[in-house]
Amino acid sequence: PNCIIKMDEKRAFEAMMAELGDSDSDDGNRDVKSSKNSEKKGYRNTSEAKGTPSEPKETIRDMVNNNHIVQTSHKFSKEEEEIMSFGERPGRREVPRSSVVDSNPISRSWLMKPCYPGDSPMLCYIERQRSNFGGGIMFRAYLEVAGDPKRSKFLMSAKKLLNKRTSYYLVSTDAEPGDDRGSDDLLGKVRANAVGSRYLLTDHGVAPSKSNAPSMHRKEFGVIKFEFDSDGPSQIQSYVPSVNASGVAATWQPESEYNSIEDCVERGETTRLLQLKNKKPKWDEAHGGHVLNFQGRVTESSVKNFQLVCESLTGEDVVLQFGRVGKNKFTMDVKYPLSPFQAFGMCIACMDGKIADRKGYEFVRKLADSIRRNDDAKKG
């Protein structure tokens, strides 16, 4: 575009950039800063925002649309034009429409909202952090931007609480969350049953039995079930609230445990629910293991790798793909009808140690064999 403020051309543009300060560009991950050497070097990009958060400022694109900048013969440099039009030109939208991040921090509603129907998968990755001092385990999810890991956008984290009878994770928008279940940064919870065969995904509300106020009751976002399969990786089934063609999910906020997603599934009342299940991997003699086509997004073998499909809604199209790419790094690719929050919760459930998977099954079997041998030795 050929635009300029009604004053000296170059000084006007520099003043505008200085006024914007540390605000992000349209892709939500490029911080545009003023430079004293802007005429020679253009405008720098940095992946770390500095200073305290400020109120959202008017972007360059907004200035053009609001006629704060008028047409002129001045031509911006290539980098200046890229700043103004990033994410709008053909071929630049590597991130789906539902995944485009603006200059503000990622909102709770964006993380909880299903991906837009028809969009390509939202490419993300998860990093696992293990504590060497008994501090538990933590996962952090990031959104990949333009395929460049250095420009990735932090989405949310999950911290496992210690001293709980079952696996219990708090999902937060804070990269360094605490154990406070009343924190304003809390998105939701992922909690397992005793053996890890079932996980419940909820928001920050409380169980119906703990409050008489319906508005305080938790909203349920899904149930994930695991079943050991002696022929290969665990079988995975998940039930989530239904999503319409416009990408709006049904609200599931039961006033009693009787109307929870799990109880409705047990009774066969699934008309308002979507069922997801993992694709069955095939045995490959050449590799000596079960394989799936991950389209190059998974580089290391693991029984935790999986692909979920929603046959009733999208047929055999994969809606969630998860797999290992490093010792503590995993890819997470999600699309309609799931939200980033639901996908993250399902991946956490898969990575969590459980008796219901192969390792847990083998441990219990060896323990039972050991007890039986000891009993036989005593009898002999």
Side-chain angles (χ1 to χ4, degrees):
N2 300 326
C3 309
I4 189 171
I5 300 177
K6 295 178 179 178
M7 53 190 293
D8 179 73
E9 297 178 355
K10 199 63 181 179
R11 289 192 302 104
F13 188 81
E14 290 177 354
M16 181 170 59
M17 297 302 295
E19 182 181 353
L20 289 176
D22 290 340
S23 63
D24 294 339
S25 58
D26 288 331
D27 70 336
N29 212 44
R30 300 178 57 178
D31 294 336
V32 182
K33 292 183 177 293
S34 176
S35 173
K36 295 181 179 179
N37 300 321
S38 58
E39 292 188 24
K40 296 182 179 179
K41 298 183 179 180
Y43 294 89
R44 296 177 297 163
N45 300 325
T46 178
S47 59
E48 296 182 2
K50 297 181 180 180
T52 56
S54 59
E55 291 295 323
K57 297 183 176 66
E58 190 175 35
T59 65
I60 302 174
R61 175 64 57 186
D62 292 335
M63 290 181 177
V64 174
N65 293 337
N66 295 334
N67 295 322
H68 293 179
I69 301 177
V70 297
Q71 294 295 326
T72 184
S73 59
H74 172 72
K75 290 187 177 181
F76 290 139
S77 67
K78 181 178 180 180
E79 188 169 5
E80 291 167 353
E81 290 186 3
E82 182 178 336
I83 293 171
M84 295 186 67
S85 61
F86 187 86
E88 297 183 12
R89 291 181 295 177
R92 292 304 304 271
R93 186 169 285 175
E94 289 85 358
V95 181
R97 175 171 54 240
S98 61
S99 312
V100 174
V101 185
D102 59 18
S103 60
N104 299 317
I106 292 177
S107 66
R108 302 169 66 95
S109 60
W110 188 88
L111 293 169
M112 311 296 265
K113 183 172 59 177
C115 297
Y116 195 82
D119 273 353
S120 57
M122 184 190 305
L123 305 184
C124 309
Y125 67 90
I126 298 173
E127 290 184 342
R128 177 174 59 190
Q129 177 183 331
R130 298 181 184 274
S131 173
N132 296 324
F133 305 99
I137 188 171
M138 187 181 301
F139 300 99
R140 295 184 181 90
Y142 299 85
L143 173 67
E144 296 181 7
V145 178
D148 185 354
K150 294 181 180 179
R151 298 174 56 209
S152 299
K153 182 80 172 180
F154 170 75
L155 296 177
M156 52 194 150
S157 64
K159 182 177 182 180
K160 188 173 186 178
L161 300 184
L162 302 178
N163 303 318
K164 296 292 182 180
R165 290 179 298 175
T166 64
S167 291
Y168 194 162
Y169 292 86
L170 296 182
V171 182
S172 171
T173 56
D174 188 349
E176 297 291 341
D179 297 342
D180 184 10
R181 284 177 282 181
S183 170
D184 292 337
D185 298 318
L186 183 64
L187 274 177
K189 309 169 188 176
V190 181
R191 191 161 192 174
N193 60 5
V195 297
S197 62
R198 189 271 299 159
Y199 289 75
L200 177 62
L201 181 59
T202 69
D203 70 353
H204 57 281
V206 300
S209 59
K210 296 184 178 180
S211 174
N212 293 324
S215 61
M216 298 294 291
H217 294 170
R218 64 193 181 194
K219 295 178 182 178
E220 298 185 2
F221 286 84
V223 168
I224 308 99
K225 294 186 175 184
F226 297 88
E227 183 177 346
F228 175 74
D229 187 348
S230 58
D231 294 329
S234 299
Q235 296 181 14
I236 306 174
Q237 283 193 69
S238 179
Y239 291 87
V240 300
S242 60
V243 182
N244 64 23
S246 299
V248 179
T251 300
W252 202 286
Q253 191 173 18
E255 296 184 2
S256 68
E257 299 292 344
Y258 179 79
N259 293 319
S260 66
I261 292 179
E262 184 178 16
D263 281 10
C264 288
V265 171
E266 292 296 328
R267 296 194 301 269
E269 300 174 4
T270 59
T271 54
R272 294 176 55 229
L273 295 169
L274 295 175
Q275 182 191 39
L276 295 86
K277 57 183 180 181
N278 64 318
K279 295 185 72 173
K280 187 75 172 179
K282 297 180 180 180
W283 179 263
D284 186 272
E285 292 291 345
H287 293 85
H290 293 85
V291 297
L292 284 169
N293 183 6
F294 289 94
Q295 306 296 328
R297 291 283 293 165
V298 177
T299 58
E300 297 189 9
S301 60
S302 172
V303 295
K304 303 289 188 181
N305 299 346
F306 70 84
Q307 293 177 329
L308 290 186
V309 297
C310 183
E311 294 180 348
S312 63
L313 196 64
T314 58
E316 287 297 311
D317 191 22
V318 176
V319 300
L320 175 59
Q321 177 173 282
F322 172 82
R324 183 192 294 271
V325 293
K327 182 178 180 180
N328 291 298
K329 188 173 181 178
F330 311 82
T331 54
M332 180 186 78
D333 302 340
V334 56
K335 61 188 302 186
Y336 172 82
L338 295 177
S339 68
F341 173 70
Q342 288 172 314
F344 189 43
M346 292 176 184
C347 293
I348 292 170
C350 182
M351 288 186 283
D352 186 48
K354 56 183 72 69
I355 296 177
D357 63 16
R358 179 177 292 275
K359 290 183 178 180
Y361 175 82
E362 293 295 337
F363 172 79
V364 172
R365 185 181 62 79
K366 291 179 180 179
L367 180 62
D369 290 343
S370 176
I371 294 174
R372 184 169 58 254
R373 285 195 298 269
N374 290 335
D375 290 342
D376 292 342
K378 291 179 180 179
K379 292 178 181 178

